[in-house]
């Protein structure tokens, strides 16, 4: 496998003029950010949280710059959105050209070519060489909800199977599909009916060991579906190829193929939620390619359009074509600005081999993190693929989650100028999602800050 040196990455948008350096000139958050936070408190409900309340004025490459002039190393990418950078030149140019022509007509009223071009690209790039159809919506949750809707229509069935530690969105249906109660579900019931949850092959926490997780979890899921629901009643299985918000859990080898085979044998639509894992993030264009899994429907969002709101639903033509005219769509779905951005992102991924760059990020990060785990027994697990990597923190000598330590390490990283995100069903995972265009020296410096946070 060829490594792609991150230092050779061309300057991306704002990165061309923003110094690619960490710079801490005030405490974080600084006085200007605190002023803006006070305004926010009077205008925005507290239910809309923020990881780090620094107010960004500029971003690009591997840094975000706040209102106080601090330049932070970005290990978050807006939750796997800005894979090609925050202001990629191709994205900027195509969006600027489009906004001068028109910003909206509604594809369902008077369509435009860029929507069709994005759908053609999704049909070509998603796994499998079968005939496909795609349509566009605004968010990952909307994509997942539509995928389930289509599966129910096409099969005439109602039941939907999801998995422990999964996250699929915040709408009524996708909140129901999501496993974690707090903060996503608490107090928002009743939930949508006919949703059933099965065990996930979570290697670090599988009772009989990671080597058994794949076959045993798949066997348990198949057994429970068969006995408790009946395979003939299941419209769809929905799964993230790597569980995102649940803690970057990579299902044990063999688990995804076994579930996909069960679906195929029983006429169940296999839906891969690639919202967080898609578009080169894991070192493959889509994460399910790692084990050769070909879904019936793939949902995409986040990294698809360089920060503009866009999502896609791509599926087998014989499934997608079943829905009657007018049954799919939405006023803003496939907005022309977002479509142009998506076309630019796909060009950038191919031109700069961002799948290779994601693999290179993993080659740099994983050995450093494993060495860190050897020095600090609180790191119970190091996992991930490409530029989607995590460490799980526990009380030393146990697998008991340690969310307090996780929060404290994140706080120290933030104070030192490194933006990191937390995750996990138990709130004890630090996840790392650097932009695929991050310069290598910032990647190294960010890892050093993380090491110092543990050492302190």
């Amino acid at each position: 496998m060829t490594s792609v040196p991150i230092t050779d990455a061309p300057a991306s948008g704002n990165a061309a003029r923003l110094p690619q350096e960490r710079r801490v000139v005030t405490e974080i958050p600084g006085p200007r950010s605190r002023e803006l936070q006070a305004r926010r408190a009077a205008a925005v409900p507290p239910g809309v949280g923020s990881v780090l309340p620094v107010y960004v004025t500029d971003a690009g490459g591997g840094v975000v710059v706040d209102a106080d002039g601090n330049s932070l190393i970005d290990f978050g990418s807006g939750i796997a959105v800005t894979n090609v950078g925050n202001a990629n030149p191709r994205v900027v140019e195509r969006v600027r050209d489009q906004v001068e022509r028109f910003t909206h007509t509604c594809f369902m009223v008077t369509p435009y070519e860029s929507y069709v071009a994005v759908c053609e690209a999704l049909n070509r790039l998603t796994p499998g060489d079968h005939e496909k159809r795609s349509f566009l919506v605004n968010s990952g949750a909307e994509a997942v909800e539509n995928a389930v809707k289509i599966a129910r229509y096409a099969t005439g069935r109602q039941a939907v199977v999801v998995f422990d530690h999964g996250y699929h969105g915040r709408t009524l249906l996708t909140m129901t599909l999501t496993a974690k109660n707090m903060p996503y579900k608490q107090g928002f019931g009743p939930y949508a009916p006919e949703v059933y949850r099965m065990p996930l092959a979570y290697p670090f926490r599988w009772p009989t060991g990671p080597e058994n997780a794949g076959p045993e979890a798949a066997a348990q899921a198949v057994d429970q579906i068969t006995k408790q629901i009946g395979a003939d009643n299941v419209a769809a299985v929905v799964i993230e190829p790597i569980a995102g918000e649940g803690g970057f859990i990579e299902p044990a080898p063999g688990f995804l193929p076994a579930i996909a085979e069960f679906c195929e044998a029983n006429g169940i639509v296999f839906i891969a939620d690639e919202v967080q894992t898609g578009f080169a993030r894991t070192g493959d264009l889509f994460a399910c390619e790692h084990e050769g899994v070909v879904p019936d429907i793939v949902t995409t969002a986040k990294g698809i359009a360089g920060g503009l709101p866009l999502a896609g639903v791509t599926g087998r033509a014989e499934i997608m074509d079943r829905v009657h005219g007018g049954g799919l769509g939405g006023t803003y779905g496939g907005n022309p600005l977002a479509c142009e951005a998506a076309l630019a992102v796909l060009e950038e991924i191919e031109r700069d081999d961002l799948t290779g760059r994601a693999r290179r990020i993993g080659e740099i990060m994983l050995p450093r993190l494993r060495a860190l785990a050897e020095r600090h027994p609180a790191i119970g697990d190091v996992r991930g693929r490409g530029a989607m990597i995590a460490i799980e923190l526990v009380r030393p000598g146990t697998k008991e989650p340690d969310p307090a330590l996780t929060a404290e390490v994140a706080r120290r990283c933030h104070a030192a100028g490194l933006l990191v995100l937390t995750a996990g069903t138990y709130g004890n995972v630090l996840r790392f999602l650097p932009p695929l265009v991050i310069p290598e020296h910032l990647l190294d410096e960010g890892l050093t800050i993380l090491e110092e946070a543990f050492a302190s």
Side-chain angles (χ1 to χ4, degrees), residues 263-406:
C263 289
E264 184 178 8
N266 290 276
I268 299 168
V269 178
F270 184 91
I271 300 172
D273 180 345
E274 291 262 12
V275 167
Q276 191 162 169
T277 54
F279 301 102
R281 173 53 58 179
T282 65
D284 291 297
L285 195 57
F286 297 98
C288 55
E289 294 179 89
H290 185 71
E291 289 190 275
V293 172
V294 177
D296 298 305
I297 295 178
V298 178
T299 60
T300 52
K302 289 191 182 292
I304 192 174
L308 275 73
L310 188 71
V313 183
T314 303
R316 295 183 181 273
E318 64 268 25
I319 294 173
M320 303 291 283
D321 286 349
R322 293 285 299 276
V323 179
H324 57 269
L328 304 173
T331 301
Y332 294 107
N335 171 271
L337 306 182
C339 286
E340 291 292 342
L343 294 171
V345 166
L346 294 173
E347 290 172 4
E348 198 77 357
I349 288 172
E350 184 174 9
R351 187 195 74 166
D352 290 339
D353 185 20
L354 294 189
T355 54
R357 292 187 186 281
R359 292 192 295 270
R360 174 63 176 158
I361 288 170
E363 291 168 0
I364 293 170
M365 294 192 73
L366 285 169
R368 292 271 299 267
L369 293 172
R370 287 169 181 147
L372 183 64
E374 291 179 0
R375 300 194 300 271
H376 296 281
I379 301 176
D381 194 29
V382 177
R383 55 182 179 253
R385 292 206 307 264
M388 187 174 182
I389 295 172
I391 57 176
E392 181 165 353
L393 305 189
V394 296
R395 299 191 184 281
T398 76
K399 292 188 177 181
E400 181 183 350
D402 196 340
L405 177 61
T406 306

Side-chain angles (χ1 to χ4, degrees), residues 108-146:
M108 298 182 302
V109 178
T110 52
Y112 34 90
E113 182 180 0
S114 58
Y115 184 115
V116 177
V118 172
C119 292
E120 289 172 336
L122 290 172
N123 294 342
R124 174 173 55 88
L125 296 171
T126 49
D129 57 5
H130 51 276
E131 188 177 0
K132 302 170 194 168
R133 303 283 188 268
S134 294
F135 73 101
L136 305 177
V137 290
N138 303 290
S139 69
E142 193 177 348
V144 172
E145 185 138 347
N146 273 278

Side-chain angles (χ1 to χ4, degrees), residues 137-178:
V137 290
N138 303 290
S139 69
E142 193 177 348
V144 172
E145 185 138 347
N146 273 278
V148 171
K149 185 169 72 172
I150 293 165
R152 283 174 163 166
Y153 193 103
T155 62
R157 306 172 182 179
Q158 294 185 347
V160 179
V161 171
V162 289
F163 293 85
D164 285 341
H165 310 288
Y167 176 87
H168 301 287
R170 298 174 191 254
T171 63
L172 175 60
L173 177 59
T174 58
M175 178 177 61
T176 306
L177 301 178
T178 293

Side-chain angles (χ1 to χ4, degrees), residues 46-242:
V48 182
S50 291
V51 171
L52 177 59
V54 298
Y55 284 74
V56 176
T57 59
D58 225 337
V63 298
V64 293
V65 179
D66 72 10
D68 293 286
N70 299 298
S71 178
L72 285 73
I73 299 173
D74 182 10
F75 273 17
S77 298
I79 317 184
V81 170
T82 56
N83 294 355
V84 301
N86 302 76
N88 181 280
R90 272 194 173 89
V91 174
V92 170
E93 181 180 3
R94 292 189 74 140
V95 171
R96 180 186 294 121
D97 290 346
Q98 179 59 48
V99 79
E100 291 176 349
R101 294 194 297 271
F102 62 92
T103 59
H104 175 76
T105 68
C106 184
F107 188 77
M108 298 182 302
V109 178
T110 52
Y112 34 90
E113 182 180 0
S114 58
Y115 184 115
V116 177
V118 172
C119 292
E120 289 172 336
L122 290 172
N123 294 342
R124 174 173 55 88
L125 296 171
T126 49
D129 57 5
H130 51 276
E131 188 177 0
K132 302 170 194 168
R133 303 283 188 268
S134 294
F135 73 101
L136 305 177
V137 290
N138 303 290
S139 69
E142 193 177 348
V144 172
E145 185 138 347
N146 273 278
V148 171
K149 185 169 72 172
I150 293 165
R152 283 174 163 166
Y153 193 103
T155 62
R157 306 172 182 179
Q158 294 185 347
V160 179
V161 171
V162 289
F163 293 85
D164 285 341
H165 310 288
Y167 176 87
H168 301 287
R170 298 174 191 254
T171 63
L172 175 60
L173 177 59
T174 58
M175 178 177 61
T176 306
L177 301 178
T178 293
K180 188 175 180 180
N181 178 58
M182 191 67 185
Y184 306 118
K185 302 169 75 168
Q186 176 65 33
F188 296 133
Y191 306 114
E194 291 292 321
V195 173
Y196 302 87
R197 197 169 313 282
M198 300 297 151
L200 181 71
Y202 190 163
F204 178 64
R205 296 192 173 275
W206 196 254
T208 61
E211 67 279 2
N212 300 315
E216 289 183 0
Q220 286 185 24
V222 168
D223 182 63
Q224 290 181 34
I225 292 169
T226 303
K227 289 191 307 188
Q228 298 179 21
I229 312 167
D232 291 344
N233 295 315
V234 179
V237 163
V238 185
I239 189 167
E240 299 167 281
I242 297 176

